[in-house]
Amino acid sequence: MGVKDLWQLISPVGRRVSIETLEGKTLAIDMSIWLTQFIKAMRDEDGKMVKNAHIIGTLRRILKLLFHRIRPVFVFDGATPALKLRVIQLRRKSHEKSVRS
């Protein structure tokens, strides 16, 4: 679901790090974020999703992590929390309204 204004909240202590600084470490990966990114971002010339985008993108990122000797641990969410379900329903309704207009 994400945390609204998360980057503002952590900006005093958060910082970007280069992938090289993670060598030899274990990194937790939120798979729902990765999969959503690939499905939305990997498009062909006509704007359609690239076939198997989620698989291609995940494989590429895993290979990059392994190349840098980073051990990925993949995290999959459990059931959708009630609050998130309400937000998703509101987004769908809003989207449907905008499509109809």
Side-chain angles (χ1 to χ4, degrees), residues 1-49:
M1 180 168 137
V3 177
K4 186 175 169 117
D5 300 322
L6 175 64
W7 292 112
Q8 285 181 324
L9 179 67
I10 64 171
S11 65
V13 293
R15 60 180 165 56
R16 291 185 180 265
V17 296
S18 66
I19 194 167
E20 293 82 10
T21 64
L22 300 173
E23 185 173 325
K25 297 189 178 180
T26 301
L27 183 67
I29 308 296
D30 183 334
M31 286 305 297
S32 64
I33 291 174
W34 270 21
L35 295 174
T36 301
Q37 286 176 341
F38 299 131
I39 289 170
K40 290 186 176 198
M42 295 179 73
R43 302 288 171 164
D44 63 15
E45 305 83 39
D46 299 323
K48 296 178 186 170
M49 186 184 82

Side-chain angles (χ1 to χ4, degrees), residues 10 18 42 52 55 66 70-71 75:
I10 64 171
S18 66
M42 295 179 73
N52 298 320
I55 296 170
L66 295 176
I70 299 168
R71 293 179 301 276
V75 179

